Amino acid sequence: MQRVTSGRARRPTAQRHTSSAQHDESADERLTGERDRTVVLIPARMSEAEEQRWVNVMLDKLAAQESRRALGDTELAERAERLSAQYFNGRARPHSVRWVTNQNTRWGSCTPSEGSIRLSHRLQGMPEYVVDYVLCHELAHLLVPGHGPGFWRLLEAYPKTERARGYLEGVVAAERLPRLPGAHNG
């Protein structure tokens, strides 16, 4: 799975009314399979503030597309191992990491005594940084039980914690909105 880690806007010489985002793949990226830059084409008339907002929107869309390439349990466990190494010095070592379909009110759960982590299938299709946040959250529980100050200090290592929490809060809020008769879902 590819990571969208940064983006830049490019204004076309001719006025365009559409925008698009694409990965900008260099020779090194082709060799390593890693992509860390995305080019977002935007209309020339956008202000800097609109440009930055639109770059963020397009990066989120790309991340969601990448995340939709469903990870299996094996890939999920490998991802948890990489996140543990990156953010917790490899100290969080789950024995199992898997998707489950019986968690409809929580995003993930952890049983520290068994070293098991379960993520809700509802996360599939969400941006990669959101899935990574939930994995980091559960990995942190292998090291610190509960949600006390020590837990949150540990989780600060993941740089997109607040952004991912905001995304998940938005999903929950959207689910609570009243459905209007005749409105299309999706």
Side-chain angles (χ1 to χ4, degrees), residues 143-154:
L143 303 172
V144 178
H147 292 104
F151 172 83
W152 293 110
R153 271 194 304 278
L154 186 62

Side-chain angles (χ1 to χ4, degrees), residues 85-148:
Q86 186 172 0
Y87 298 112
F88 306 119
N89 295 319
R91 293 180 301 135
R93 296 187 182 138
H95 294 292
S96 71
V97 182
R98 62 191 176 95
W99 295 107
V100 294
T101 57
N102 64 347
Q103 290 188 3
N104 294 311
T105 59
R106 57 177 60 185
W107 299 112
S109 62
C110 174
T111 307
S113 62
E114 298 173 5
S116 62
I117 291 176
R118 294 159 305 281
L119 295 191
S120 172
H121 71 286
R122 296 181 310 138
L123 289 166
Q124 293 174 332
M126 289 190 188
E128 192 173 281
Y129 73 91
V130 174
V131 176
D132 286 353
Y133 161 71
V134 177
L135 273 173
C136 284
H137 184 107
E138 301 309 331
L139 286 166
H141 279 306
L142 293 177
L143 303 172
V144 178
H147 292 104

Side-chain angles (χ1 to χ4, degrees), residues 7-80:
R8 68 179 174 85
R10 184 168 63 202
R11 296 175 187 276
T13 53
Q15 181 91 7
R16 284 194 180 180
H17 296 288
T18 61
S19 59
S20 66
Q22 62 192 33
H23 290 291
D24 188 16
E25 194 172 20
S26 68
D28 287 342
E29 292 162 345
R30 284 190 293 277
L31 291 173
T32 64
E34 294 215 25
R35 296 177 179 170
D36 61 359
R37 192 173 78 179
T38 301
V39 176
V40 178
L41 300 176
I42 60 168
R45 62 178 156 57
M46 279 191 172
S47 70
E48 275 191 44
E50 290 172 317
E51 172 184 313
Q52 189 55 55
R53 187 188 71 75
W54 197 246
V55 166
N56 289 334
V57 165
M58 296 305 281
L59 287 174
D60 282 348
K61 283 185 177 191
L62 278 174
Q65 287 173 356
E66 290 173 352
S67 183
R68 282 188 199 104
R69 297 181 195 117
L71 294 175
D73 289 347
T74 302
E75 293 89 1
L76 197 61
E78 290 168 355
R79 193 150 156 194

Side-chain angles (χ1 to χ4, degrees), residues 179-186:
R179 303 282 179 227
L180 299 175
H184 295 284
N185 291 337

